[in-house]
């Protein structure tokens, strides 16, 4: 703008010093970085917590659902209201093949006359539970297979019953007693060890170096020898065979 005073034209130079200095910009950038780092850190922790909880929940639900179905049906083994169906429990002798499962410990078969018609010919009256390729398989009398649970490392059955030689004594049945005297079995100790399917990248890490024992004190899985980062759960239950020996 021009200013005319005393016949002379004068020119004023307008200057504006408002703005940010380099130091102010650096301070603002530092504060912004700290805030962003905090937000990212909180988000990361939330993701780790969520993935860990989902992993634990999945393992628990998987194992508990399988244990529920097995124990509920196993309790009915030997149910024979007419006394003519021949219902009971059948222990399977191990075939000696060390490359596959132990048939005596990992398979159980039982029957019950649910409709009281004097036989166990209906599909849901003859049931077999077994472990195949880390899956618990339920097979009915018609040969239909149903997968109850995945990522199962151990399915273990231990039989207890009346001593064939001393009828007043209850003993743990070895393979010979269980196979040859199934009618003397009175209870089954069931153990399931389930494992997470994967180890999520974003999760709280855990090292499993535990040794897993069943109710009878048998070592079923010893991760102390080869620890890993999978989460596991072991469920143990004694099932009383209330219909056996009636």
């Amino acid at each position: 703008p021009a200013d005319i005073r005393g016949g002379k034209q004068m020119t004023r130079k307008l200057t504006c010093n408002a703005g940010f200095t380099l130091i102010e910009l650096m301070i603002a950038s530092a504060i912004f970085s700290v805030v962003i780092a905090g937000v990212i850190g909180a988000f990361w922790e939330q993701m780790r917590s969520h993935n860990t909880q989902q992993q634990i929940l999945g393992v628990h639900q998987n194992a508990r659902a399988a244990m529920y179905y097995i124990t509920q049906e196993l309790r009915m083994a030997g149910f024979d209201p007419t006394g003519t169906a021949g219902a009971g429990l059948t222990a399977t002798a191990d075939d000696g093949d060390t490359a596959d499962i132990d048939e005596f410990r990992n398979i159980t078969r039982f029957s019950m006359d649910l409709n009281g018609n004097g036989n166990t010919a209906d599909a849901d009256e003859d049931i077999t539970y077994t472990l195949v390729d880390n899956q618990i398989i339920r097979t009915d009398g018609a040969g239909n297979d149903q997968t109850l649970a995945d990522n199962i490392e151990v399915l273990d059955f231990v039989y207890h019953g009346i001593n064939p030689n001393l009828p007043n004594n209850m003993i743990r049945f070895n393979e010979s007693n269980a196979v040859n005297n199934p009618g003397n079995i009175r209870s089954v100790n069931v153990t399931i060890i389930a494992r997470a399917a994967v180890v999520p990248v974003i999760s709280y890490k855990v090292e499993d170096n535990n040794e897993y024992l069943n109710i009878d004190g048998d070592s079923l899985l010893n991760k102390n020898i080869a620890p890993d980062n999978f989460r596991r759960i072991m469920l143990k239950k004694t099932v009383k065979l209330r219909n056996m020996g009636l």
Side-chain angles (χ1 to χ4, degrees):
D3 187 8
I4 300 176
R5 296 182 183 178
K8 296 181 179 181
Q9 182 173 328
M10 300 179 64
T11 302
R12 287 186 302 180
K13 184 177 181 181
L14 299 179
T15 59
C16 180
N17 295 323
F20 297 104
T21 66
L22 179 60
I23 294 177
E24 290 173 330
L25 288 174
M26 292 176 64
I27 293 174
S29 297
I31 294 174
F32 179 75
S33 299
V34 171
V35 172
I36 291 299
V39 171
I40 293 175
F43 175 76
W44 186 264
E45 284 299 308
Q46 185 67 25
M47 285 293 294
R48 291 177 65 187
S49 178
H50 173 76
N51 288 343
T52 300
Q53 291 301 319
Q54 289 296 108
Q55 186 184 39
I56 295 173
L57 181 63
V59 175
H60 277 250
Q61 288 182 332
N62 193 35
R64 292 186 187 282
M67 180 64 85
Y68 173 80
Y69 280 106
I70 291 174
T71 56
Q72 287 295 105
E73 288 195 313
L74 192 52
R75 283 194 182 97
M76 294 300 296
F79 180 68
D80 190 357
T82 66
T84 60
L89 189 146
T90 303
T92 304
D94 182 35
D95 62 8
D97 185 356
T98 58
D100 63 8
I101 63 174
D102 180 343
E103 283 79 8
F104 173 60
R105 295 291 295 270
N106 304 137
I107 296 177
T108 192
R109 180 181 178 183
F110 51 92
S111 57
M112 52 268 187
D113 182 12
L114 297 178
N115 57 13
N117 66 349
N119 63 62
T120 59
D122 295 310
D124 287 333
E125 294 182 333
D126 188 347
I127 305 298
T128 301
Y129 282 102
T130 186
L131 184 65
V132 180
D133 296 329
N134 296 113
Q135 294 180 320
I136 294 179
I137 304 297
R138 176 188 184 274
T139 305
D140 64 22
N144 301 310
D145 290 340
Q146 176 187 1
T147 301
L148 284 187
D150 298 305
N151 304 308
I152 303 297
E153 291 185 299
V154 174
L155 173 64
D156 182 63
F157 300 102
V158 177
Y159 305 102
H160 291 255
I162 300 173
N163 187 337
N165 300 316
L166 297 171
N168 293 325
N169 291 345
M170 298 293 288
I171 61 170
R172 171 178 173 171
F173 274 28
N174 58 25
E175 184 172 328
S176 176
N177 279 337
V179 172
N180 296 319
N181 302 283
N184 286 358
I185 297 173
R186 295 295 180 267
S187 67
V188 184
N189 290 339
V190 184
T191 305
I192 294 175
I193 301 177
R195 192 199 74 179
V198 297
V199 179
V201 176
I202 305 176
S203 66
Y204 292 110
K205 297 299 184 290
V206 61
E207 181 179 78
D208 186 2
N209 57 4
N210 297 304
E211 182 177 9
Y212 296 86
L213 308 178
N214 64 12
I215 295 175
D216 297 271
D218 303 330
S219 179
L220 302 179
L221 181 66
N222 189 357
K223 296 308 297 180
N224 190 39
I225 298 174
D228 58 29
N229 299 116
F230 287 98
R231 294 184 181 273
R232 291 179 175 83
I233 178 177
M234 178 171 62
L235 301 180
K236 300 181 283 188
K237 193 153 192 169
T238 297
V239 180
K240 301 292 186 180
L241 305 180
R242 57 195 178 192
N243 295 299
M244 298 287 288
L246 297 179

